[in-house]
Amino acid sequence: MGKKIALNVFYNLGIILSIFGITWGYNNAQYLPIALFVATGAFFVYLKIKLVKEMRSTLKNRN
């Protein structure tokens, strides 16, 4: 359970850093980094959704 909480924190940090990277790239007209930050942000969102679904099924089967 602790490992999954740590993964959730890591995914949240990745999403937040991707958002900061997107805003930095937009302010500095750096479009290639924006595309990379969008891709990494989408990847972290995908992993987070997968983790949440896994945790829901784990908690549902526990009871």
Side-chain angles (χ1 to χ4, degrees):
M1 186 76 155
K3 181 181 175 184
K4 292 185 182 189
I5 292 172
L7 271 176
N8 190 28
V9 170
F10 176 71
Y11 294 158
N12 286 335
L13 286 174
I15 293 168
I16 291 168
L17 289 175
S18 294
I19 292 170
F20 283 141
I22 291 168
T23 56
W24 170 84
Y26 181 76
N27 290 334
N28 293 315
Q30 299 289 325
Y31 299 111
L32 181 61
I34 289 174
L36 294 174
F37 282 120
V38 167
T40 57
F43 181 66
F44 281 123
V45 168
Y46 168 74
L47 290 175
K48 184 171 174 66
I49 290 170
K50 213 170 141 181
L51 179 67
V52 168
K53 285 182 180 179
E54 182 182 330
M55 285 301 297
R56 283 185 183 171
S57 68
T58 302
L59 291 175
K60 189 175 185 180
N61 292 337
R62 189 180 229 187
N63 292 331

